[in-house]
PDB file of all heavy atoms in Angstrom:
ATOM      1  N   GLY A   8       0.781  -1.215   0.000  1.00 98.00           N
ATOM      2  CA  GLY A   8       0.000   0.000   0.000  1.00 98.00           C
ATOM      3  C   GLY A   8       0.817   1.271   0.000  1.00 98.00           C
ATOM      4  O   GLY A   8       0.274   2.347  -0.273  1.00 98.00           O
ATOM      5  N   GLU A   9       2.087   1.166   0.300  1.00 98.00           N
ATOM      6  CA  GLU A   9       2.949   2.342   0.319  1.00 98.00           C
ATOM      7  C   GLU A   9       3.458   2.675  -1.073  1.00 98.00           C
ATOM      8  O   GLU A   9       3.182   1.960  -2.039  1.00 98.00           O
ATOM      9  CB  GLU A   9       4.103   2.127   1.300  1.00 98.00           C
ATOM     10  CG  GLU A   9       3.636   2.006   2.741  1.00 98.00           C
ATOM     11  CD  GLU A   9       4.766   1.874   3.741  1.00 98.00           C
ATOM     12  OE1 GLU A   9       5.910   1.583   3.333  1.00 98.00           O
ATOM     13  OE2 GLU A   9       4.509   2.075   4.947  1.00 98.00           O
ATOM     14  N   SER A  10       4.202   3.758  -1.174  1.00 98.00           N
ATOM     15  CA  SER A  10       4.673   4.264  -2.458  1.00 98.00           C
ATOM     16  C   SER A  10       6.179   4.426  -2.473  1.00 98.00           C
ATOM     17  O   SER A  10       6.823   4.609  -1.430  1.00 98.00           O
ATOM     18  CB  SER A  10       4.030   5.622  -2.765  1.00 98.00           C
ATOM     19  OG  SER A  10       2.623   5.532  -2.868  1.00 98.00           O
ATOM     20  N   LEU A  11       6.729   4.352  -3.665  1.00 98.00           N
ATOM     21  CA  LEU A  11       8.129   4.641  -3.916  1.00 98.00           C
ATOM     22  C   LEU A  11       8.240   5.375  -5.241  1.00 98.00           C
ATOM     23  O   LEU A  11       7.411   5.179  -6.130  1.00 98.00           O
ATOM     24  CB  LEU A  11       8.973   3.369  -3.999  1.00 98.00           C
ATOM     25  CG  LEU A  11       9.362   2.631  -2.722  1.00 98.00           C
ATOM     26  CD1 LEU A  11      10.050   1.323  -3.088  1.00 98.00           C
ATOM     27  CD2 LEU A  11      10.276   3.490  -1.867  1.00 98.00           C
ATOM     28  N   ARG A  12       9.267   6.186  -5.369  1.00 98.00           N
ATOM     29  CA  ARG A  12       9.596   6.783  -6.646  1.00 98.00           C
ATOM     30  C   ARG A  12      11.015   6.403  -7.017  1.00 98.00           C
ATOM     31  O   ARG A  12      11.963   6.752  -6.307  1.00 98.00           O
ATOM     32  CB  ARG A  12       9.454   8.305  -6.635  1.00 98.00           C
ATOM     33  CG  ARG A  12       9.603   8.907  -8.039  1.00 98.00           C
ATOM     34  CD  ARG A  12       9.438  10.403  -8.073  1.00 98.00           C
ATOM     35  NE  ARG A  12      10.595  11.106  -7.553  1.00 98.00           N
ATOM     36  CZ  ARG A  12      10.900  12.369  -7.840  1.00 98.00           C
ATOM     37  NH1 ARG A  12      10.106  13.067  -8.656  1.00 98.00           N
ATOM     38  NH2 ARG A  12      11.965  12.924  -7.297  1.00 98.00           N
ATOM     39  N   LEU A  13      11.146   5.713  -8.126  1.00 98.00           N
ATOM     40  CA  LEU A  13      12.450   5.355  -8.644  1.00 98.00           C
ATOM     41  C   LEU A  13      12.933   6.433  -9.603  1.00 98.00           C
ATOM     42  O   LEU A  13      12.143   7.024 -10.335  1.00 98.00           O
ATOM     43  CB  LEU A  13      12.398   4.016  -9.370  1.00 98.00           C
ATOM     44  CG  LEU A  13      11.829   2.826  -8.603  1.00 98.00           C
ATOM     45  CD1 LEU A  13      11.926   1.569  -9.457  1.00 98.00           C
ATOM     46  CD2 LEU A  13      12.539   2.647  -7.272  1.00 98.00           C
ATOM     47  N   SER A  14      14.228   6.656  -9.594  1.00 98.00           N
ATOM     48  CA  SER A  14      14.845   7.598 -10.511  1.00 98.00           C
ATOM     49  C   SER A  14      15.948   6.902 -11.285  1.00 98.00           C
ATOM     50  O   SER A  14      16.605   5.993 -10.769  1.00 98.00           O
ATOM     51  CB  SER A  14      15.440   8.794  -9.756  1.00 98.00           C
ATOM     52  OG  SER A  14      14.447   9.509  -9.059  1.00 98.00           O
ATOM     53  N   CYS A  15      16.146   7.327 -12.506  1.00 98.00           N
ATOM     54  CA  CYS A  15      17.228   6.828 -13.334  1.00 98.00           C
ATOM     55  C   CYS A  15      17.903   8.022 -13.978  1.00 98.00           C
ATOM     56  O   CYS A  15      17.295   8.697 -14.821  1.00 98.00           O
ATOM     57  CB  CYS A  15      16.704   5.861 -14.392  1.00 98.00           C
ATOM     58  SG  CYS A  15      17.931   5.346 -15.616  1.00 98.00           S
ATOM     59  N   ALA A  16      19.120   8.284 -13.568  1.00 98.00           N
ATOM     60  CA  ALA A  16      19.881   9.404 -14.088  1.00 98.00           C
ATOM     61  C   ALA A  16      20.795   8.930 -15.205  1.00 98.00           C
ATOM     62  O   ALA A  16      21.583   8.003 -15.015  1.00 98.00           O
ATOM     63  CB  ALA A  16      20.700  10.053 -12.973  1.00 98.00           C
ATOM     64  N   ALA A  17      20.686   9.568 -16.359  1.00 98.00           N
ATOM     65  CA  ALA A  17      21.456   9.191 -17.530  1.00 98.00           C
ATOM     66  C   ALA A  17      22.569  10.190 -17.778  1.00 98.00           C
ATOM     67  O   ALA A  17      22.414  11.390 -17.542  1.00 98.00           O
ATOM     68  CB  ALA A  17      20.566   9.100 -18.759  1.00 98.00           C
ATOM     69  N   SER A  18      23.676   9.685 -18.275  1.00 97.00           N
ATOM     70  CA  SER A  18      24.785  10.537 -18.661  1.00 97.00           C
ATOM     71  C   SER A  18      25.484   9.929 -19.863  1.00 97.00           C
ATOM     72  O   SER A  18      25.406   8.723 -20.099  1.00 97.00           O
ATOM     73  CB  SER A  18      25.771  10.729 -17.505  1.00 97.00           C
ATOM     74  OG  SER A  18      26.328   9.486 -17.098  1.00 97.00           O
ATOM     75  N   GLY A  19      26.158  10.766 -20.628  1.00 95.00           N
ATOM     76  CA  GLY A  19      26.912  10.288 -21.769  1.00 95.00           C
ATOM     77  C   GLY A  19      26.074   9.929 -22.979  1.00 95.00           C
ATOM     78  O   GLY A  19      26.551   9.228 -23.881  1.00 95.00           O
ATOM     79  N   MET A  20      24.846  10.402 -23.022  1.00 93.00           N
ATOM     80  CA  MET A  20      23.950  10.100 -24.129  1.00 93.00           C
ATOM     81  C   MET A  20      23.054  11.290 -24.417  1.00 93.00           C
ATOM     82  O   MET A  20      22.869  12.159 -23.556  1.00 93.00           O
ATOM     83  CB  MET A  20      23.097   8.870 -23.816  1.00 93.00           C
ATOM     84  CG  MET A  20      22.241   9.046 -22.566  1.00 93.00           C
ATOM     85  SD  MET A  20      21.445   7.526 -21.995  1.00 93.00           S
ATOM     86  CE  MET A  20      20.089   7.413 -23.154  1.00 93.00           C
ATOM     87  N   SER A  21      22.502  11.313 -25.613  1.00 94.00           N
ATOM     88  CA  SER A  21      21.532  12.350 -25.972  1.00 94.00           C
ATOM     89  C   SER A  21      20.175  11.911 -25.449  1.00 94.00           C
ATOM     90  O   SER A  21      19.345  11.361 -26.175  1.00 94.00           O
ATOM     91  CB  SER A  21      21.507  12.563 -27.482  1.00 94.00           C
ATOM     92  OG  SER A  21      22.758  13.006 -27.960  1.00 94.00           O
ATOM     93  N   PHE A  22      19.960  12.174 -24.180  1.00 96.00           N
ATOM     94  CA  PHE A  22      18.843  11.596 -23.440  1.00 96.00           C
ATOM     95  C   PHE A  22      17.497  11.828 -24.116  1.00 96.00           C
ATOM     96  O   PHE A  22      16.669  10.922 -24.203  1.00 96.00           O
ATOM     97  CB  PHE A  22      18.829  12.152 -22.018  1.00 96.00           C
ATOM     98  CG  PHE A  22      17.695  11.644 -21.183  1.00 96.00           C
ATOM     99  CD1 PHE A  22      17.768  10.403 -20.581  1.00 96.00           C
ATOM    100  CD2 PHE A  22      16.558  12.409 -20.995  1.00 96.00           C
ATOM    101  CE1 PHE A  22      16.728   9.924 -19.806  1.00 96.00           C
ATOM    102  CE2 PHE A  22      15.509  11.951 -20.221  1.00 96.00           C
ATOM    103  CZ  PHE A  22      15.594  10.700 -19.627  1.00 96.00           C
ATOM    104  N   SER A  23      17.262  13.036 -24.580  1.00 96.00           N
ATOM    105  CA  SER A  23      15.953  13.373 -25.123  1.00 96.00           C
ATOM    106  C   SER A  23      15.596  12.576 -26.375  1.00 96.00           C
ATOM    107  O   SER A  23      14.419  12.490 -26.728  1.00 96.00           O
ATOM    108  CB  SER A  23      15.867  14.869 -25.423  1.00 96.00           C
ATOM    109  OG  SER A  23      16.796  15.240 -26.426  1.00 96.00           O
ATOM    110  N   LEU A  24      16.572  11.986 -27.032  1.00 95.00           N
ATOM    111  CA  LEU A  24      16.330  11.211 -28.238  1.00 95.00           C
ATOM    112  C   LEU A  24      15.986   9.751 -27.945  1.00 95.00           C
ATOM    113  O   LEU A  24      15.540   9.039 -28.846  1.00 95.00           O
ATOM    114  CB  LEU A  24      17.552  11.250 -29.160  1.00 95.00           C
ATOM    115  CG  LEU A  24      18.004  12.632 -29.642  1.00 95.00           C
ATOM    116  CD1 LEU A  24      19.237  12.496 -30.524  1.00 95.00           C
ATOM    117  CD2 LEU A  24      16.883  13.331 -30.389  1.00 95.00           C
ATOM    118  N   TYR A  25      16.193   9.323 -26.728  1.00 97.00           N
ATOM    119  CA  TYR A  25      16.031   7.922 -26.369  1.00 97.00           C
ATOM    120  C   TYR A  25      14.650   7.613 -25.844  1.00 97.00           C
ATOM    121  O   TYR A  25      14.049   8.408 -25.107  1.00 97.00           O
ATOM    122  CB  TYR A  25      17.057   7.530 -25.301  1.00 97.00           C
ATOM    123  CG  TYR A  25      18.427   7.210 -25.841  1.00 97.00           C
ATOM    124  CD1 TYR A  25      19.216   8.193 -26.411  1.00 97.00           C
ATOM    125  CD2 TYR A  25      18.923   5.915 -25.771  1.00 97.00           C
ATOM    126  CE1 TYR A  25      20.471   7.894 -26.910  1.00 97.00           C
ATOM    127  CE2 TYR A  25      20.180   5.611 -26.258  1.00 97.00           C
ATOM    128  CZ  TYR A  25      20.948   6.605 -26.825  1.00 97.00           C
ATOM    129  OH  TYR A  25      22.199   6.302 -27.310  1.00 97.00           O
ATOM    130  N   ALA A  26      14.151   6.456 -26.233  1.00 97.00           N
ATOM    131  CA  ALA A  26      13.003   5.882 -25.554  1.00 97.00           C
ATOM    132  C   ALA A  26      13.504   5.242 -24.269  1.00 97.00           C
ATOM    133  O   ALA A  26      14.504   4.513 -24.280  1.00 97.00           O
ATOM    134  CB  ALA A  26      12.312   4.841 -26.426  1.00 97.00           C
ATOM    135  N   MET A  27      12.845   5.526 -23.174  1.00 98.00           N
ATOM    136  CA  MET A  27      13.247   5.010 -21.876  1.00 98.00           C
ATOM    137  C   MET A  27      12.210   4.027 -21.360  1.00 98.00           C
ATOM    138  O   MET A  27      11.030   4.090 -21.708  1.00 98.00           O
ATOM    139  CB  MET A  27      13.431   6.148 -20.873  1.00 98.00           C
ATOM    140  CG  MET A  27      14.416   7.221 -21.314  1.00 98.00           C
ATOM    141  SD  MET A  27      16.100   6.575 -21.576  1.00 98.00           S
ATOM    142  CE  MET A  27      16.505   6.017 -19.919  1.00 98.00           C
ATOM    143  N   ALA A  28      12.666   3.127 -20.515  1.00 98.00           N
ATOM    144  CA  ALA A  28      11.773   2.113 -19.994  1.00 98.00           C
ATOM    145  C   ALA A  28      12.237   1.640 -18.633  1.00 98.00           C
ATOM    146  O   ALA A  28      13.416   1.761 -18.275  1.00 98.00           O
ATOM    147  CB  ALA A  28      11.679   0.922 -20.950  1.00 98.00           C
ATOM    148  N   TRP A  29      11.293   1.105 -17.893  1.00 98.00           N
ATOM    149  CA  TRP A  29      11.584   0.390 -16.668  1.00 98.00           C
ATOM    150  C   TRP A  29      11.201  -1.077 -16.852  1.00 98.00           C
ATOM    151  O   TRP A  29      10.106  -1.380 -17.336  1.00 98.00           O
ATOM    152  CB  TRP A  29      10.819   0.962 -15.474  1.00 98.00           C
ATOM    153  CG  TRP A  29      11.316   2.293 -15.014  1.00 98.00           C
ATOM    154  CD1 TRP A  29      10.843   3.515 -15.358  1.00 98.00           C
ATOM    155  CD2 TRP A  29      12.402   2.514 -14.110  1.00 98.00           C
ATOM    156  NE1 TRP A  29      11.554   4.502 -14.729  1.00 98.00           N
ATOM    157  CE2 TRP A  29      12.520   3.918 -13.956  1.00 98.00           C
ATOM    158  CE3 TRP A  29      13.277   1.686 -13.411  1.00 98.00           C
ATOM    159  CZ2 TRP A  29      13.491   4.507 -13.131  1.00 98.00           C
ATOM    160  CZ3 TRP A  29      14.238   2.264 -12.603  1.00 98.00           C
ATOM    161  CH2 TRP A  29      14.337   3.645 -12.470  1.00 98.00           C
ATOM    162  N   TYR A  30      12.104  -1.945 -16.493  1.00 98.00           N
ATOM    163  CA  TYR A  30      11.875  -3.376 -16.453  1.00 98.00           C
ATOM    164  C   TYR A  30      12.029  -3.857 -15.022  1.00 98.00           C
ATOM    165  O   TYR A  30      12.629  -3.179 -14.190  1.00 98.00           O
ATOM    166  CB  TYR A  30      12.883  -4.117 -17.329  1.00 98.00           C
ATOM    167  CG  TYR A  30      12.692  -3.964 -18.826  1.00 98.00           C
ATOM    168  CD1 TYR A  30      13.012  -2.778 -19.477  1.00 98.00           C
ATOM    169  CD2 TYR A  30      12.211  -5.027 -19.586  1.00 98.00           C
ATOM    170  CE1 TYR A  30      12.855  -2.642 -20.843  1.00 98.00           C
ATOM    171  CE2 TYR A  30      12.059  -4.903 -20.955  1.00 98.00           C
ATOM    172  CZ  TYR A  30      12.379  -3.713 -21.576  1.00 98.00           C
ATOM    173  OH  TYR A  30      12.229  -3.594 -22.939  1.00 98.00           O
ATOM    174  N   ARG A  31      11.515  -5.043 -14.756  1.00 98.00           N
ATOM    175  CA  ARG A  31      11.740  -5.635 -13.450  1.00 98.00           C
ATOM    176  C   ARG A  31      11.957  -7.136 -13.588  1.00 98.00           C
ATOM    177  O   ARG A  31      11.468  -7.769 -14.513  1.00 98.00           O
ATOM    178  CB  ARG A  31      10.588  -5.344 -12.487  1.00 98.00           C
ATOM    179  CG  ARG A  31       9.256  -5.980 -12.853  1.00 98.00           C
ATOM    180  CD  ARG A  31       8.174  -5.473 -11.899  1.00 98.00           C
ATOM    181  NE  ARG A  31       6.877  -6.054 -12.187  1.00 98.00           N
ATOM    182  CZ  ARG A  31       5.750  -5.691 -11.583  1.00 98.00           C
ATOM    183  NH1 ARG A  31       5.759  -4.736 -10.653  1.00 98.00           N
ATOM    184  NH2 ARG A  31       4.602  -6.280 -11.910  1.00 98.00           N
ATOM    185  N   GLN A  32      12.695  -7.665 -12.642  1.00 98.00           N
ATOM    186  CA  GLN A  32      13.033  -9.078 -12.659  1.00 98.00           C
ATOM    187  C   GLN A  32      13.060  -9.617 -11.240  1.00 98.00           C
ATOM    188  O   GLN A  32      13.804  -9.127 -10.395  1.00 98.00           O
ATOM    189  CB  GLN A  32      14.386  -9.298 -13.331  1.00 98.00           C
ATOM    190  CG  GLN A  32      14.756 -10.754 -13.518  1.00 98.00           C
ATOM    191  CD  GLN A  32      15.985 -10.913 -14.395  1.00 98.00           C
ATOM    192  OE1 GLN A  32      16.816 -10.009 -14.486  1.00 98.00           O
ATOM    193  NE2 GLN A  32      16.098 -12.053 -15.047  1.00 98.00           N
ATOM    194  N   ALA A  33      12.234 -10.609 -11.000  1.00 97.00           N
ATOM    195  CA  ALA A  33      12.230 -11.317  -9.732  1.00 97.00           C
ATOM    196  C   ALA A  33      13.127 -12.546  -9.856  1.00 97.00           C
ATOM    197  O   ALA A  33      13.349 -13.053 -10.958  1.00 97.00           O
ATOM    198  CB  ALA A  33      10.812 -11.723  -9.352  1.00 97.00           C
ATOM    199  N   PRO A  34      13.641 -13.052  -8.739  1.00 93.00           N
ATOM    200  CA  PRO A  34      14.509 -14.228  -8.804  1.00 93.00           C
ATOM    201  C   PRO A  34      13.848 -15.393  -9.523  1.00 93.00           C
ATOM    202  O   PRO A  34      12.701 -15.737  -9.247  1.00 93.00           O
ATOM    203  CB  PRO A  34      14.755 -14.558  -7.326  1.00 93.00           C
ATOM    204  CG  PRO A  34      14.611 -13.250  -6.631  1.00 93.00           C
ATOM    205  CD  PRO A  34      13.509 -12.538  -7.371  1.00 93.00           C
ATOM    206  N   GLY A  35      14.583 -15.988 -10.452  1.00 94.00           N
ATOM    207  CA  GLY A  35      14.075 -17.119 -11.202  1.00 94.00           C
ATOM    208  C   GLY A  35      13.095 -16.775 -12.294  1.00 94.00           C
ATOM    209  O   GLY A  35      12.566 -17.680 -12.948  1.00 94.00           O
ATOM    210  N   LYS A  36      12.845 -15.490 -12.503  1.00 96.00           N
ATOM    211  CA  LYS A  36      11.896 -15.050 -13.512  1.00 96.00           C
ATOM    212  C   LYS A  36      12.608 -14.277 -14.610  1.00 96.00           C
ATOM    213  O   LYS A  36      13.732 -13.823 -14.448  1.00 96.00           O
ATOM    214  CB  LYS A  36      10.817 -14.163 -12.888  1.00 96.00           C
ATOM    215  CG  LYS A  36      10.076 -14.779 -11.719  1.00 96.00           C
ATOM    216  CD  LYS A  36       9.205 -15.935 -12.144  1.00 96.00           C
ATOM    217  CE  LYS A  36       8.397 -16.462 -10.973  1.00 96.00           C
ATOM    218  NZ  LYS A  36       7.525 -17.591 -11.375  1.00 96.00           N
ATOM    219  N   GLN A  37      11.941 -14.142 -15.736  1.00 97.00           N
ATOM    220  CA  GLN A  37      12.493 -13.344 -16.814  1.00 97.00           C
ATOM    221  C   GLN A  37      12.345 -11.867 -16.494  1.00 97.00           C
ATOM    222  O   GLN A  37      11.556 -11.473 -15.635  1.00 97.00           O
ATOM    223  CB  GLN A  37      11.801 -13.664 -18.137  1.00 97.00           C
ATOM    224  CG  GLN A  37      10.360 -13.199 -18.232  1.00 97.00           C
ATOM    225  CD  GLN A  37       9.765 -13.428 -19.605  1.00 97.00           C
ATOM    226  OE1 GLN A  37      10.252 -14.247 -20.386  1.00 97.00           O
ATOM    227  NE2 GLN A  37       8.702 -12.707 -19.917  1.00 97.00           N
ATOM    228  N   ARG A  38      13.126 -11.078 -17.197  1.00 97.00           N
ATOM    229  CA  ARG A  38      13.031  -9.638 -17.045  1.00 97.00           C
ATOM    230  C   ARG A  38      11.866  -9.127 -17.882  1.00 97.00           C
ATOM    231  O   ARG A  38      11.848  -9.301 -19.103  1.00 97.00           O
ATOM    232  CB  ARG A  38      14.340  -8.975 -17.476  1.00 97.00           C
ATOM    233  CG  ARG A  38      14.393  -7.485 -17.199  1.00 97.00           C
ATOM    234  CD  ARG A  38      15.778  -6.913 -17.487  1.00 97.00           C
ATOM    235  NE  ARG A  38      16.789  -7.487 -16.617  1.00 97.00           N
ATOM    236  CZ  ARG A  38      18.063  -7.096 -16.610  1.00 97.00           C
ATOM    237  NH1 ARG A  38      18.480  -6.135 -17.409  1.00 97.00           N
ATOM    238  NH2 ARG A  38      18.926  -7.686 -15.792  1.00 97.00           N
ATOM    239  N   ASP A  39      10.910  -8.506 -17.234  1.00 97.00           N
ATOM    240  CA  ASP A  39       9.684  -8.076 -17.890  1.00 97.00           C
ATOM    241  C   ASP A  39       9.596  -6.562 -17.958  1.00 97.00           C
ATOM    242  O   ASP A  39      10.015  -5.852 -17.053  1.00 97.00           O
ATOM    243  CB  ASP A  39       8.456  -8.601 -17.150  1.00 97.00           C
ATOM    244  CG  ASP A  39       8.296 -10.100 -17.247  1.00 97.00           C
ATOM    245  OD1 ASP A  39       8.686 -10.673 -18.280  1.00 97.00           O
ATOM    246  OD2 ASP A  39       7.768 -10.705 -16.297  1.00 97.00           O
ATOM    247  N   LEU A  40       9.002  -6.102 -19.029  1.00 97.00           N
ATOM    248  CA  LEU A  40       8.764  -4.674 -19.206  1.00 97.00           C
ATOM    249  C   LEU A  40       7.682  -4.204 -18.241  1.00 97.00           C
ATOM    250  O   LEU A  40       6.635  -4.837 -18.114  1.00 97.00           O
ATOM    251  CB  LEU A  40       8.342  -4.396 -20.642  1.00 97.00           C
ATOM    252  CG  LEU A  40       8.014  -2.945 -20.993  1.00 97.00           C
ATOM    253  CD1 LEU A  40       9.268  -2.082 -20.908  1.00 97.00           C
ATOM    254  CD2 LEU A  40       7.407  -2.865 -22.391  1.00 97.00           C
ATOM    255  N   VAL A  41       7.932  -3.085 -17.593  1.00 98.00           N
ATOM    256  CA  VAL A  41       6.965  -2.471 -16.699  1.00 98.00           C
ATOM    257  C   VAL A  41       6.289  -1.284 -17.368  1.00 98.00           C
ATOM    258  O   VAL A  41       5.064  -1.171 -17.379  1.00 98.00           O
ATOM    259  CB  VAL A  41       7.624  -2.024 -15.385  1.00 98.00           C
ATOM    260  CG1 VAL A  41       6.618  -1.316 -14.488  1.00 98.00           C
ATOM    261  CG2 VAL A  41       8.234  -3.221 -14.666  1.00 98.00           C
ATOM    262  N   ALA A  42       7.087  -0.396 -17.912  1.00 98.00           N
ATOM    263  CA  ALA A  42       6.560   0.811 -18.536  1.00 98.00           C
ATOM    264  C   ALA A  42       7.591   1.385 -19.479  1.00 98.00           C
ATOM    265  O   ALA A  42       8.795   1.222 -19.276  1.00 98.00           O
ATOM    266  CB  ALA A  42       6.182   1.854 -17.482  1.00 98.00           C
ATOM    267  N   THR A  43       7.120   2.049 -20.513  1.00 98.00           N
ATOM    268  CA  THR A  43       7.994   2.736 -21.453  1.00 98.00           C
ATOM    269  C   THR A  43       7.500   4.154 -21.667  1.00 98.00           C
ATOM    270  O   THR A  43       6.315   4.447 -21.510  1.00 98.00           O
ATOM    271  CB  THR A  43       8.061   2.036 -22.818  1.00 98.00           C
ATOM    272  OG1 THR A  43       6.764   2.045 -23.425  1.00 98.00           O
ATOM    273  CG2 THR A  43       8.551   0.606 -22.682  1.00 98.00           C
ATOM    274  N   ILE A  44       8.424   5.000 -22.039  1.00 98.00           N
ATOM    275  CA  ILE A  44       8.080   6.360 -22.442  1.00 98.00           C
ATOM    276  C   ILE A  44       8.971   6.724 -23.615  1.00 98.00           C
ATOM    277  O   ILE A  44      10.189   6.589 -23.563  1.00 98.00           O
ATOM    278  CB  ILE A  44       8.211   7.360 -21.272  1.00 98.00           C
ATOM    279  CG1 ILE A  44       7.772   8.757 -21.717  1.00 98.00           C
ATOM    280  CG2 ILE A  44       9.620   7.362 -20.693  1.00 98.00           C
ATOM    281  CD1 ILE A  44       7.547   9.714 -20.544  1.00 98.00           C
ATOM    282  N   THR A  45       8.356   7.144 -24.699  1.00 97.00           N
ATOM    283  CA  THR A  45       9.101   7.487 -25.896  1.00 97.00           C
ATOM    284  C   THR A  45       9.701   8.876 -25.779  1.00 97.00           C
ATOM    285  O   THR A  45       9.424   9.626 -24.841  1.00 97.00           O
ATOM    286  CB  THR A  45       8.202   7.424 -27.133  1.00 97.00           C
ATOM    287  OG1 THR A  45       7.246   8.489 -27.080  1.00 97.00           O
ATOM    288  CG2 THR A  45       7.475   6.094 -27.221  1.00 97.00           C
TER     289      THR A  45
END
């Protein structure tokens, strides 16, 4: 029920040109897409 905010700081790239995404992976599971932003 609680909340968290994750941050991802990028460097060395033209950030605004990249599509960004969050994935997640639990032990023994595949890495799955959570959300994307173009």
Side-chain angles (χ1 to χ4, degrees):
E9 295 183 345
S10 298
L11 283 173
R12 188 179 75 158
L13 306 183
S14 299
C15 172
S18 61
M20 59 190 282
S21 298
F22 179 81
S23 64
L24 301 179
Y25 279 67
M27 304 299 297
W29 288 95
Y30 288 74
R31 66 187 181 186
Q32 186 170 25
K36 305 292 184 179
Q37 70 175 20
R38 187 173 297 184
D39 292 328
L40 178 67
V41 177
T43 63
I44 183 166
T45 69

